[in-house]
Amino acid sequence: MSDSDNYEAVVQSASSEVASFEEHKKGLIGHFHHALHATPSLVPLIVLVASIIVFGIAVGSNFFSAYALTLILQQVQIVGVLAAAQSLVVLTAGIDLSVGAIAVFTSVIMGQFTFRYGIPAPISVVCGLAIGTGIGAISGWLVSRVKLPPFIVTLGMWQIVLAANYLYSANETIRSQDIATEASFLQFLGRTFELGGAKLNLGVVLMLILVVVLAYCLRSTAWGRHVYAVGDDPEAAKLAGVKVNQTLMSVYMLVGFICALAGWVMIGRFGSISPSATTGTFGNIQSITAVVIGGISLFGGRGSILGAFFGALIVGVFELGLRMAGADAQWTYLLIGALIIGAVTVDQWIRKVTA
Amino acid sequence: MSDSDNYEAVVQSASSEVASFEEHKKGLIGHFHHALHATPSLVPLIVLVASIIVFGIAVGSNFFSAYALTLILQQVQIVGVLAAAQSLVVLTAGIDLSVGAIAVFTSVIMGQFTFRYGIPAPISVVCGLAIGTGIGAISGWLVSRVKLPPFIVTLGMWQIVLAANYLYSANETIRSQDIATEASFLQFLGRTFELGGAKLNLGVVLMLILVVVLAYCLRSTAWGRHVYAVGDDPEAAKLAGVKVNQTLMSVYMLVGFICALAGWVMIGRFGSISPSATTGTFGNIQSITAVVIGGISLFGGRGSILGAFFGALIVGVFELGLRMAGADAQWTYLLIGALIIGAVTVDQWIRKVTA
Amino acid sequence: QDSAKACLITKTDTNPFFVKMREGATAKAKELGIELDTFAGKVDGDNETQVAAIETCIANGAKGILITPSNSSAIVGSVQQARDAGLLVIALDTPLDPIDAADMTFATDNFLAGELIGKWAKATMGDAAADAKIALLNIDIAQPSVGVLRNQGFLAGFGIELGDENKWGDEDDPRIVGHDVTQGNEEGGRKAMENLLAQEPFVNLVYTVNEPAAAGAYEALKAVGREGDVTIVSVDGGCPGVANVEAGVIGATSQQYPLLMASKGIEAIAAFAKDGTKPQATEGKGFFDTGVKLVTDKPAEGIESIPVAEGKELCWG
Amino acid sequence: MEPILKARGLVKRYGKVTAINRSDFDLMPGEILAVIGDNGAGKSSIVKALCGAVIPDEGEIWLEGKKVSFSSPIDARNVGIETVYQTLAMSPALSIADNMFMGRELRKPGFMGKWLRKLDRPAMEKFARQKLSELGLTTIQSINQAVESLSGGQRQGVAVARAAAFGSKVIILDEPTAALGVKESRKVLELIQDVRSRGIPIILISHNMPHVFEVADRIHIHRLGRRLAVIDPREHSMSDAVAYMTGAQVPEGIAA
Amino acid sequence: MEPILKARGLVKRYGKVTAINRSDFDLMPGEILAVIGDNGAGKSSIVKALCGAVIPDEGEIWLEGKKVSFSSPIDARNVGIETVYQTLAMSPALSIADNMFMGRELRKPGFMGKWLRKLDRPAMEKFARQKLSELGLTTIQSINQAVESLSGGQRQGVAVARAAAFGSKVIILDEPTAALGVKESRKVLELIQDVRSRGIPIILISHNMPHVFEVADRIHIHRLGRRLAVIDPREHSMSDAVAYMTGAQVPEGIAA
Ligand SMILES: Nc1ncnc2c1ncn2[C@@H]1O[C@H](COP(=O)(O)OP(=O)(O)OP(=O)(O)O)[C@@H](O)[C@H]1O
Ligand SMILES: Nc1ncnc2c1ncn2[C@@H]1O[C@H](COP(=O)(O)OP(=O)(O)OP(=O)(O)O)[C@@H](O)[C@H]1O
Ligand SMILES: [Mg+2]
Ligand SMILES: [Mg+2]
């Protein structure tokens, strides 16, 4: 222990290479392994493809028809858009129970503004989008400024918006025929076009664009990184200089806007505008289910929006597949419950072996 | 820096008194302040008392009648029992969407076992409780061993149990009169007794006992501490020597058991046994709402079961109060949403000033 | 050639009414050698699931669809799609809006069902009807059309002036204590009744949207010892419901015939699949009326009714 | 000379626990001020009060002679106070580069950056790798690792590199070398001296007496929630300092 | 002499990152073995593999000559291996006493404890307060404080007190003094020597060379995920040790 005073000087001659080790697994499996490790949203994609194949075999050729396959996209479009919105909230460690209610309410607003007040349809749509954003802003304010738990805020909003929806619309459905003749712009997202023999509508296109754009924003912009940081550890994010309140506010407003888009998509899909659409009641659970199946953590900060999209498709495939296979309603529910658990088990298993 | 080698020796003569400072606030306010700080579940209690007073003023003396006040307890008994179960899961950072479905299913089992197979009612009740516990065990196994997210597991269970419930019961209601004549033990928890002019039933008593017992277990037994530790940070709990899997398993099984108790309470309250009770669909949201209003964190590890009980009562007071004040059904729905947000705002505010 | 396929889409499959409807259809389909797929919404008013079900039927190449529409106007677009694809679409129980959006409708007149119990209640109460205290237990705040029709029919039959006929809750007759919602089950029935009793303890007439709600309301009344002096009326005529009429729980109920609707529907699809013939409407109506009858053991003068014993024979199941 | 950062009579209580007990604080321009004291003396609490992470119950703070009251750490950061917290304040699931640039991300040049606001990931990763190598953290194998998967010392290194790279007016380091190895600690000390030579004052909390006495210009001794004394390391020995901070001896002649 | 704890060829990889690279390990009965190495060398990883917190991909472990494979830390604890993790493994929202007794709570005597399984809170709190005072942590004002509200050093003190109080066969300390003050570190060193004198062997990871050379019987030098050498502190200087672990010099004549 003689030269103890000076031992720190030795470090001047320390090696300064970055540590590296030979690669362990090589070849195709190694690559695949690594791809899964780097991009966890591939896991739900694998589950999705697998379930399409399984149902294709079980149901028979009907399932692989262009009609059936595009039908999945059609049936999933509303939940898909809502799941995109839900993903954003869940990434910030929140939860939004009001997504479905906002969608229904804004669709009613778009319709009633046009038919009750005679406002031109495009302007009504803009009003609907603005009101959706406004509702999101109220939730965002309560969450970020008043610091209420998102569950409570959006639960309250859910009830308020749903009741307002019934009160405002006087429970009246606007009929598809009337919209088509008088304000067909409201049904704009329902327009279909052919693509290689398959029929798609603009609502599906909107959903796809939305998912891609949000995935880009979350991954490649500062805002997206802040969303993750806020969800990961809000305290740390604040100390590190993220404007937590502003980020939360922007997320909830964006979610309100996307839900209003979903409202517009609903008009396109159903033709008519009905205040009693079940999306108002079940949209939240459906979107949260998609998000969780897609591998986004309900504790925030982990997961990708693409995963949520695949999650929505997985549920869509299960539902259509079981229906086409002729299971009756209660058996369908029972099997969907079991399949969801199964899908996530497979998902967990893939993650484990590639960890 | 001469004696640097020896500076650590100085600490031998360091002071070894425990640090203490003069108390800051004294008197009644100081005491109150400190009580709130030490027992956060007092906060929802304050909100509860305040809302009873407010509604009492708004509705008039009717609201303070023994009938109205005990009615709140009666109406809240099922949600109260479910909220007790939900609290346990939420404290472990989980969520149970299947609580209501299990309650309905077990009530159907108790009834069908008695009427379809002619099993004596007490044994049917025991079978119902056992099956509830078994369902909980399956969820617990999937959560703790297969490591699936609780949201997904219980979502799946919810669908499976609810569908099984309809399939098994063939949607048939067992009439109250038949139960009363042939198997009145099933309605045991519906028996009423007088207490100081107010009518109470055994279901309410069961709920109160359950809450007190669980509060004791959570606060004063090792098992309770482990539940908190698992919810707080499962990784840390595991490293510290908590049997995380066993704890989770015990919680989910207990939750299944309590839900089955809720099923028995349902028979007492409704007289008849119906597979289509609303609790099956909305019991989960209602119980989670009570839990969150009561101040339990959805991220686990923080909060008390008494809070959840007060949360359930707060919602009960709002619902009855608004109806008695004569609000119509749709407005009631809207106002409850607003009041829940309001209640939690007040709650947050009290916590902030007493922090 | 495979056997023809048909679809039955009900509002829910948790309500015994639709369960019976499905049983009737399944039995008939088996008899006629038709392959039947059944679908149902999650809750009353669930239009989305019904749309998805129609799409599935088209994808599966079914010949015809029997549907009890959850939302009679919102579903029209999807029904049109199915008809364009060459399917026969028959509305059961609830007509579409407009009624000719379906190839045919086999239905009960829900307004009439309500009207019958309204008239019966008025006649039974006699002079007391002038200052009755009425509690109305509806299905859901979304106000699905069946619930509105029954409610408004009841009020009309009782002689109360209606506001907008397409919604409940806008009447200002002082005899109405209040409206509440029950989700159509015992649980909701009891809670709603308790709430209205807290508002007005001397309710003496209770309208319920169906018999489970009535059973729940009865429990609430029993708890305060008023089950003897309150008249409960209901709609549906299911076997447990009729048994409750017999037991005095319910004063009178309007009975419908879901099995009949369903089996007629299947027959129509079978005929259509064979040679393309479409079913015909009842004379003088826009739909095929499967009828509704008032079941009570306390018949009132001038109102046609059947005794409980007969109701029990006709009840579903 | 006027202190660049000055505080008087700060108080912070949590229920019955007193974390800061009417404490004062002074940081002179261009100096390295070491803050030493027992565990739980309140060192972290007082520097958190200075950088907006804790709102004091009482007391006032001046920055360059102007009274300030930060309501969040962002306020302090906007005026150039950069802090390494003892708890590090990292987002565990995000990568090293994401964490280093949190709140001041680099954007790609040109259209992609300006209009699509695309992050310049390669540039950020390169910068992060370089800063870490300067700190001697050569064991980090992948710059894309999530911070939660780093070793304790690596994580602390990332936090220090972040503060050092961006601080402009005052840099606060709360036990920056606690988890670091011999080599890495050495590099941090060099870095501290390097920053001081650019004229930026530093507050250094540390339990490592030799390091404190090596770099500090003045030493603030904290005890039982308040400033006990400020000593000059050239005039006092380490034994003195330790005796004062542990309560073994009471400093004389030095005003608190 | 047979090592009490022995490992051969341990490997642990996380995706592309290698944390343990075919490393060996030996702990002799009754000794204090120090483990030193750069940040990120893999010290924490290897001790975690020894106590069941990490399941190695390859390699074998022997305890007292018998092959063991722990599937969780509880297995290791059941055979008497007690660990202070670098991350401390505390439940932040629970109190100090709750954390110290986690998994081995004391119950009240008599009926209350036996049948109602009631915890003996006063006893646990008294014990906790005493252990903390022994470590010199006299600044903890309330023993009911949640661990998350403690200062960094106080928290570490609680973790060390817990391990020292309950370890029976092997005690593993991963940087136990990193956040501790001068006085508290000193007490921990005394504690370590005290434990050894009871015949219990200790694995001590530390970056503090003077402390390591003061207490260690042998020093395990870890570099790039594997054991580079084991040296005797009486035969090598601190400079040698630092040179070996940082790669400035390659040890000669000593088998890895
Ligand atoms: N949020 C809080 N709630 C309650 N007490 C707190 C809180 N934060 C700090 N304290 C208490 O305040 C005192 C000072 O803590 P602080 O973190 O400032 O100490 P420190 O000097 O930084 O110690 P260390 O050297 O261990 O980091 C401690 O007794 C601590 O328990
Ligand atoms: N879960 C993980 N995922 C990915 N990499 C990991 C993980 N855990 C550890 N590593 C990596 O393994 C290496 C060894 O880490 P370890 O924590 O064992 O280092 P250490 O020697 O304890 O360092 P320190 O002195 O800083 O505590 C580091 O490069 C670290 O980044
Ligand atoms: Mg500190
Ligand atoms: Mg380490």
Side-chain angles (χ1 to χ4, degrees), chain C residues 13 64 136 237 264 272:
Chain C
D13 64 352
L136 294 118
K264 289 265 179 214
F272 177 75

Side-chain angles (χ1 to χ4, degrees), chain A residues 138-164:
Chain A
I138 299 174
S139 299
W141 183 78
L142 289 168
V143 168
S144 65
R145 295 283 157 179
V146 192
K147 310 242 177 284
L148 302 184
F151 185 91
I152 287 294
V153 169
T154 58
L155 176 89
M157 272 294 159
W158 179 24
Q159 303 221 41
I160 293 172
V161 170
L162 212 53

Side-chain angles (χ1 to χ4, degrees), chain A:
Chain A
M1 284 170 71
S2 54
D3 49 355
S4 64
D5 263 355
N6 225 359
Y7 67 91
E8 296 195 341
V10 178
V11 303
Q12 300 306 345
S13 49
S15 128
S16 63
E17 263 171 83
V18 172
S20 68
F21 298 85
E22 78 275 27
E23 269 209 50
H24 179 49
K25 286 184 198 160
K26 291 229 176 69
L28 209 64
I29 295 189
H31 267 97
F32 181 61
H33 206 276
H34 181 243
L36 283 180
H37 198 81
T39 323
S41 61
L42 284 178
V43 180
L45 181 58
I46 295 175
V47 176
L48 174 63
V49 172
S51 46
I52 291 178
I53 293 171
V54 169
F55 274 109
I57 293 168
V59 175
S61 59
N62 268 352
F63 193 78
F64 283 122
S65 65
Y67 180 76
L69 289 178
T70 53
L71 197 53
I72 297 172
L73 283 171
Q74 306 258 1
Q75 294 188 345
V76 122
Q77 60 188 324
I78 297 165
V79 174
V81 173
L82 293 180
Q86 190 69 257
S87 302
L88 292 174
V89 182
V90 172
L91 281 176
T92 66
I95 195 162
D96 195 336
L97 299 177
S98 65
V99 286
I102 297 179
V104 174
F105 187 44
T106 50
S107 76
V108 164
I109 283 175
M110 292 175 192
Q112 296 290 350
F113 273 34
T114 312
F115 284 84
R116 199 184 294 179
Y117 313 132
I119 296 173
I123 297 182
S124 298
V125 170
V126 171
C127 291
L129 296 175
I131 290 176
T133 314
I135 297 172
I138 299 174
S139 299
W141 183 78
L142 289 168
V143 168
S144 65
R145 295 283 157 179
V146 192
K147 310 242 177 284
L148 302 184
F151 185 91
I152 287 294
V153 169
T154 58
L155 176 89
M157 272 294 159
W158 179 24
Q159 303 221 41
I160 293 172
V161 170
L162 212 53
N165 159 51
Y166 293 131
L167 289 166
Y168 176 68
S169 66
N171 299 78
E172 265 164 30
T173 299
I174 303 175
R175 295 170 14 164
S176 177
Q177 296 86 326
D178 298 342
I179 299 176
T181 50
E182 288 171 45
S184 68
F185 181 76
L186 290 179
Q187 293 174 339
F188 177 72
L189 292 176
R191 296 202 187 148
T192 54
F193 60 94
E194 293 268 335
L195 194 88
K199 247 188 181 173
L200 282 177
N201 66 2
L202 293 179
V204 170
V205 175
L206 177 90
M207 167 179 70
L208 296 174
I209 292 177
L210 188 70
V211 169
V212 170
V213 168
L214 286 177
Y216 168 84
C217 289
L218 284 172
R219 188 196 299 265
S220 301
T221 71
W223 175 79
R225 295 289 94 189
H226 294 180
V227 170
Y228 276 88
V230 167
D232 208 2
D233 183 342
E235 210 42 52
K238 197 173 159 198
L239 293 179
V242 173
K243 293 180 178 136
V244 174
N245 288 348
Q246 259 163 271
T247 308
L248 282 175
M249 198 70 197
S250 69
V251 164
Y252 280 87
M253 286 175 69
L254 183 56
V255 165
F257 177 80
I258 297 175
C259 292
L261 277 182
W264 194 18
V265 172
M266 284 177 75
I267 305 179
R269 170 149 168 78
F270 299 121
S272 53
I273 297 174
S274 154
S276 58
T278 359
T279 298
T281 321
F282 291 104
N284 49 11
I285 286 282
Q286 289 170 333
S287 60
I288 298 170
T289 305
V291 162
V292 179
I293 292 182
I296 299 184
S297 160
L298 285 178
F299 299 115
R302 284 143 209 264
S304 98
I305 199 165
L306 284 176
F309 173 62
F310 297 138
L313 284 177
I314 289 173
V315 179
V317 169
F318 287 171
E319 285 188 351
L320 184 67
L322 286 173
R323 268 194 225 114
M324 286 186 71
D328 81 28
Q330 287 308 333
W331 280 103
T332 305
Y333 291 138
L334 195 148
L335 290 173
I336 286 178
L339 283 175
I340 286 177
I341 294 179
V344 180
T345 308
V346 172
D347 182 312
Q348 280 309 67
W349 178 78
I350 299 179
R351 276 168 218 265
K352 202 165 147 192
V353 282
T354 63

Side-chain angles (χ1 to χ4, degrees), chain D residues 43-45 86 174-175 205, chain E residues 151-153:
Chain D
K43 305 180 294 298
S44 299
S45 299
Q86 194 170 9
D174 193 350
E175 306 196 19
I205 300 183
Chain E
S151 83

Side-chain angles (χ1 to χ4, degrees), chain E residues 56-233:
Chain E
D57 299 334
E58 295 167 27
E60 296 177 335
I61 300 172
W62 290 263
L63 179 71
E64 296 180 314
K66 277 194 294 290
K67 224 175 107 179
V68 290
S69 72
F70 302 131
S71 63
S72 92
I74 298 170
D75 294 350
R77 224 169 83 148
N78 286 342
V79 300
I81 300 179
E82 197 66 30
T83 311
V84 175
Y85 296 93
Q86 194 168 10
T87 50
L88 303 184
M90 297 275 180
S91 301
L94 296 187
S95 75
I96 297 172
D98 281 341
N99 266 289
M100 263 177 78
F101 286 89
M102 186 57 65
R104 50 195 149 210
E105 291 80 2
L106 302 183
R107 287 211 298 271
K108 283 235 190 255
F111 176 78
M112 289 303 282
K114 187 134 184 234
W115 297 105
L116 301 184
R117 310 188 78 75
K118 191 175 168 69
L119 295 178
D120 193 348
R121 240 171 241 285
M124 296 200 290
E125 284 170 9
K126 197 166 145 238
F127 183 90
R129 171 61 87 190
Q130 181 199 333
K131 287 287 159 199
L132 291 174
S133 293
E134 281 174 18
L135 281 181
L137 284 170
T138 52
T139 52
I140 295 180
Q141 294 166 43
S142 156
I143 200 80
N144 288 317
Q145 255 177 285
V147 160
E148 66 191 338
S149 74
L150 292 179
S151 83
Q154 291 171 336
R155 211 172 310 162
Q156 187 160 47
V158 175
V160 172
R162 170 166 75 179
F166 298 105
S168 68
K169 191 160 278 169
V170 175
I171 295 185
I172 301 177
L173 302 170
D174 193 351
E175 306 196 20
T177 60
L180 294 186
V182 177
K183 175 177 65 171
E184 295 79 4
S185 304
R186 205 64 246 158
K187 300 266 185 185
V188 170
L189 289 185
E190 285 168 18
L191 184 81
I192 289 175
Q193 276 160 326
D194 185 53
V195 169
R196 194 228 337 236
S197 70
R198 297 201 314 251
I200 302 175
I202 292 172
I203 302 173
L204 170 68
I205 301 184
S206 178
H207 290 299
N208 188 320
M209 290 304 132
H211 287 174
V212 163
F213 275 75
E214 183 184 337
V215 300
D217 297 313
R218 296 190 310 139
I219 299 177
H220 167 136
I221 300 180
H222 212 77
R223 183 165 165 73
L224 293 176
R226 64 197 305 179
R227 181 168 73 178
L228 182 74
V230 177
I231 61 172
D232 185 323

Side-chain angles (χ1 to χ4, degrees), chain C:
Chain C
Q1 163 89 46
D2 296 336
S3 58
K5 273 192 183 175
C7 293
L8 171 67
I9 305 172
T10 50
K11 289 182 196 178
T12 70
D13 64 352
T14 58
N15 186 332
F17 182 84
F18 298 116
V19 176
K20 287 303 159 194
M21 187 178 266
R22 190 180 67 204
E23 282 172 11
T26 312
K28 195 64 168 185
K30 206 164 169 198
E31 183 189 320
L32 299 179
I34 287 179
E35 199 181 315
L36 181 71
D37 285 342
T38 58
F39 305 88
K42 293 192 182 74
V43 291
D44 224 307
D46 182 357
N47 184 49
E48 281 98 319
T49 309
Q50 294 199 327
V51 170
I54 291 180
E55 288 167 345
T56 311
C57 292
I58 303 173
N60 265 342
K63 283 279 182 268
I65 296 174
L66 304 175
I67 181 168
T68 58
S70 268
N71 184 322
S72 38
S73 47
I75 196 78
V76 168
S78 302
V79 168
Q80 192 54 47
Q81 220 181 325
R83 293 176 73 186
D84 290 347
L87 281 75
L88 180 75
V89 180
I90 294 174
L92 299 184
D93 179 49
T94 311
L96 292 181
D97 174 19
I99 195 163
D100 60 3
D103 291 294
M104 184 42 58
T105 306
F106 294 168
T108 324
D109 190 335
N110 275 298
F111 191 88
L112 176 64
E115 214 174 355
L116 284 174
I117 51 174
K119 281 184 180 153
W120 178 86
K122 186 172 186 190
T124 307
M125 290 181 85
D127 293 342
D131 41 27
K133 291 193 173 4
I134 311 168
L136 294 118
L137 307 190
N138 300 293
I139 190 155
D140 187 64
I141 63 165
Q143 305 205 357
S145 58
V146 194
V148 175
L149 286 169
R150 290 179 186 179
N151 175 304
Q152 299 288 296
F154 165 79
L155 291 175
F158 196 75
I160 283 173
E161 198 174 323
L162 302 182
D164 182 347
E165 238 187 81
N166 295 315
K167 65 194 259 198
W168 47 258
D170 60 346
E171 301 78 16
D172 40 23
D173 193 300
R175 286 177 291 179
I176 296 177
V177 168
H179 292 260
D180 210 329
V181 293
T182 63
Q183 312 301 329
N185 59 36
E186 291 83 351
E187 176 172 359
R190 171 153 194 181
K191 187 163 182 188
M193 192 68 241
E194 285 170 345
N195 288 342
L196 291 169
L197 278 174
Q199 230 172 304
E200 169 54 68
F202 297 105
V203 166
N204 56 10
L205 175 59
V206 179
Y207 153 84
T208 57
V209 70
N210 64 6
E211 288 132 3
Y218 184 79
E219 291 295 319
L221 290 166
K222 205 165 80 181
V224 293
R226 294 206 58 239
E227 72 271 29
D229 21 297
V230 178
T231 305
I232 302 178
V233 291
S234 194
V235 180
D236 256 5
C239 295
V242 177
N244 275 343
V245 175
E246 188 175 30
V249 171
I250 299 172
T253 190
S254 291
Q255 189 169 47
Q256 321 186 62
Y257 302 97
L259 278 165
L260 183 63
M261 290 175 201
S263 52
K264 289 265 179 214
I266 294 290
E267 279 169 13
I269 291 177
F272 177 75
K274 210 158 94 202
D275 51 21
T277 44
K278 295 189 176 181
Q280 296 298 315
T282 309
E283 284 269 321
K285 292 196 179 178
F287 62 101
F288 186 103
D289 192 346
T290 53
V292 51
K293 292 188 180 124
L294 187 70
V295 180
T296 180
D297 270 344
K298 291 176 255 169
E301 210 171 313
I303 304 156
E304 200 182 318
S305 65
I306 59 172
V308 168
E310 193 182 337
K312 267 185 139 170
E313 251 159 56
L314 293 174
C315 79
W316 350 312

